[in-house]
Amino acid sequence: MATKTRNEQPGRPGRRPSLNADHTAVLRTIIREQPRSSLGEVTRELLRRAGVKVSTVTVRKALREAGIERLKPLRRAGERAAVQGVAPVRYGYTAAHRRRDGASGMNTDLTDAEWALVADLFERDGQRGAPARYERRHMVNACCYALRTGCAWRLLPKTFPPWQATYKSFSRWAAAGVFEAMHDRLRQQWRDRMGRAPEPTAAIIDAQSTRSTAQGGDTGFDAGKKVKGRKRHLVVDTLGLLLAVTITAASVQDRDAAAPVVALACAKVPTLQKLYADAAYGGKCATAIAEAHGLSVEIVRHPGNRSTGAWQDAQQPLWPEIVPKGFVVQAKRWVVERTHAWNERARRLIAHHDRSNWAPVAWVWLAEARMLATRLAS
C-alpha cells in the first residue's frame, strides 16, 4: 500500500504558492519593459502592479521557474567605422543663431514677440507707489545680458539701467518667484504646441557638479567628478523642460538631495506618475521616493553594467548583448543630459559666481525661460 505524502493527506493541503500564473505574467511584462532592473526593483514593481508583497527570494524563484534568467553583457572594444560619401555637417554657431540688436544695442534683448509673452509678469500696472524710473523691459534685458555673457553686475554696459537698480529688481523678482512663473507659463505653452498635455506624467532626475569661484558660499568637493563647487539637481519632463531645481554643495550625494527636489516637482505637478533616474538613485533612495510620493521609479542603467546585467526570457531567446566600451545613449536619461547642455549655453551657469543659494536657482529658471521664449516667438 502506497504511503500518502503530506500534501496528499486529507485536511492538510500544504502551503499555497505566493505567486500564481497571473503574477508570473506580470513579472514577464516587468522584465520586458525594464530588462536591466535589479531584483529589488522588480519586486517593488510587482507590488505596485499586482498588489502582492513577497520577498526577493520568492521573486527569484518564480523567475527561474518561468525560464527567466539574468545575463551579463559581453564586452568588446567597438571600432568606429568611417562613413564614406557623406557630406560634412557643420555644427556650432551659424547664421541661424544670430539675432538682431535690441534697444540696448545687444542681441540678448527680448524681441517684441518674446516680451509680449511675459510682459504682464513684470509690469506694475494698477499698483500703488511711484512710477518706475526705468522700464521693466530694459531691466529684464539687463538680466538676460548678465546671464548670457556671465559678466559682473558692476560691468553692465551703460546702455542698460544702473547695475544697482538692475540687481535690486533681479533679487526682488527671484524672491517673488517671477522667473519660475515665467518659465512655467512658457513650458505649458510649448507642451501645447508639441501636442502634449499641459502637465507631464513622467519626469527624469539628475545632478550636475559645477565649479565655484572665489566668491565663496556653500561649496564642497565632488570626489567622483573631481569638482570643487556646487551641484545642480534638476527634475525635467520628457521634453527636457524644467520642473524643479535645487542647489547644494558638490559634496552632497545625489541620493541625499533627491527627496527635496522631487518633493518640489510633485508639489508643482501632481500628475507625475513615473520617475526615471540613474544608478546613483537606486536602492533605498528609489524606494523612499516611491513610497513618499506614490511614483513608479525606474532606474535606467548603462547596458554594460555588470552588477545587475539584463533579464532574458527563455520563451524569447536572444544572443548575449555585446556592449561597446565608452559612451552609450541611454533611453530617457539623455533628455536631462541635454537640459544640462542647454543651461551651459549661458556663461553665467558654467560656474557659480554668486555667494547666495537663491541666485543660482533664479539664473537656471531665467535661462530655461529665455530659451522657451525664443522657441515660442520664432
Side-chain angles (χ1 to χ4, degrees):
M1 180 177 179
T3 308
K4 292 186 178 181
T5 62
R6 180 179 178 180
N7 291 342
E8 295 175 352
Q9 294 178 3
R12 302 183 64 183
R15 184 177 181 180
R16 180 182 302 176
S18 302
L19 301 178
N20 54 30
D22 295 336
H23 299 150
T24 304
V26 175
L27 287 175
R28 292 186 186 277
T29 304
I30 294 173
I31 62 102
R32 190 180 304 114
E33 297 176 356
Q34 307 175 16
R36 293 184 178 86
S37 57
S38 64
L39 192 62
E41 294 166 3
V42 173
T43 305
R44 185 174 62 249
E45 188 67 14
L46 177 65
L47 173 62
R48 191 185 70 86
R49 298 192 183 189
V52 55
K53 186 176 183 180
V54 294
S55 65
T56 55
V57 178
T58 304
V59 174
R60 183 190 294 113
K61 181 180 179 181
L63 292 173
R64 188 182 298 113
E65 293 177 352
I68 301 173
E69 59 181 1
R70 192 196 305 272
L71 295 181
K72 304 294 183 179
L74 302 179
R75 293 189 179 274
R76 183 179 64 185
E79 299 179 356
R80 187 172 299 176
V83 180
Q84 303 293 337
V86 179
V89 180
R90 178 181 175 182
Y91 297 96
Y93 194 81
T94 62
H97 301 89
R98 296 184 175 91
R99 297 165 54 93
R100 294 183 178 180
D101 295 342
S104 64
M106 306 296 174
N107 61 2
T108 57
D109 292 355
L110 295 172
T111 63
D112 294 339
E114 295 169 356
W115 178 248
L117 296 172
V118 297
D120 60 302
L121 295 175
F122 298 94
E123 297 291 352
R124 297 180 56 186
D125 295 340
Q127 297 184 6
R128 294 182 178 181
R133 179 177 300 182
Y134 306 102
E135 291 187 27
R136 292 292 181 261
R137 181 175 179 178
H138 291 171
M139 309 282 268
V140 177
N141 289 337
C143 295
C144 293
Y145 178 85
L147 171 68
R148 181 64 181 86
T149 62
C151 73
W153 289 108
R154 294 176 181 268
L155 300 181
L156 282 176
K158 300 303 181 182
T159 54
F160 291 115
W163 73 268
Q164 297 92 334
T166 303
Y167 176 76
K168 185 176 181 180
S169 297
F170 173 79
S171 60
R172 184 169 58 248
W173 290 331
V178 177
F179 297 125
E180 183 176 355
M182 173 184 175
H183 175 271
D184 292 343
R185 172 191 294 184
L186 299 178
R187 172 174 54 83
Q188 293 181 354
Q189 294 179 9
W190 181 253
R191 289 184 60 88
D192 181 68
R193 177 177 293 188
M194 298 301 293
R196 303 293 186 90
E199 301 296 345
T201 58
I204 309 101
I205 184 175
D206 192 32
Q208 179 190 38
S209 297
T210 53
R211 64 182 180 88
S212 59
T213 60
Q215 291 293 337
D218 187 13
T219 61
F221 182 71
D222 186 351
K225 302 295 180 61
K226 301 297 186 291
V227 174
K228 180 180 179 181
R230 297 181 181 179
K231 187 177 290 186
R232 281 193 292 262
H233 305 270
L234 305 184
V235 176
V236 302
D237 62 6
T238 53
L239 295 179
L241 308 181
L242 192 61
L243 299 178
V245 56
T246 57
I247 303 293
T248 63
S251 56
V252 178
Q253 297 294 328
D254 294 355
R255 59 178 178 270
D256 297 330
V261 69
V262 173
L264 291 176
C266 293
K268 177 182 294 185
V269 186
T271 58
L272 285 181
Q273 302 175 4
K274 187 87 172 182
L275 181 67
Y276 297 94
D278 60 6
Y281 301 92
K284 295 182 180 179
C285 176
T287 304
I289 293 176
E291 294 177 353
H293 304 286
L295 298 177
S296 173
V297 182
E298 179 177 344
I299 304 300
V300 182
R301 292 182 171 85
H302 192 279
N305 189 309
R306 296 182 61 83
S307 62
T308 58
W311 297 102
Q312 184 185 33
D313 193 346
Q315 296 183 359
Q316 299 176 352
L318 299 173
W319 290 100
E321 185 179 7
I322 300 176
V323 181
K325 294 182 179 179
F327 175 75
V328 177
V329 177
Q330 302 176 37
K332 303 298 182 183
R333 282 290 322 287
W334 67 271
V335 177
V336 67
E337 301 294 348
R338 182 184 60 179
T339 304
H340 287 310
W342 286 343
N343 290 332
E344 288 189 344
R345 292 178 182 176
R347 297 190 179 184
R348 189 82 185 196
L349 297 179
I350 294 179
H352 290 275
H353 302 278
D354 301 278
R355 187 179 295 107
S356 62
N357 289 330
W358 58 266
V361 175
W363 287 124
V364 174
W365 285 115
L366 180 58
E368 294 289 328
R370 186 70 181 82
M371 175 193 65
L372 289 178
T374 302
R375 289 185 185 180
L376 291 167
S378 59

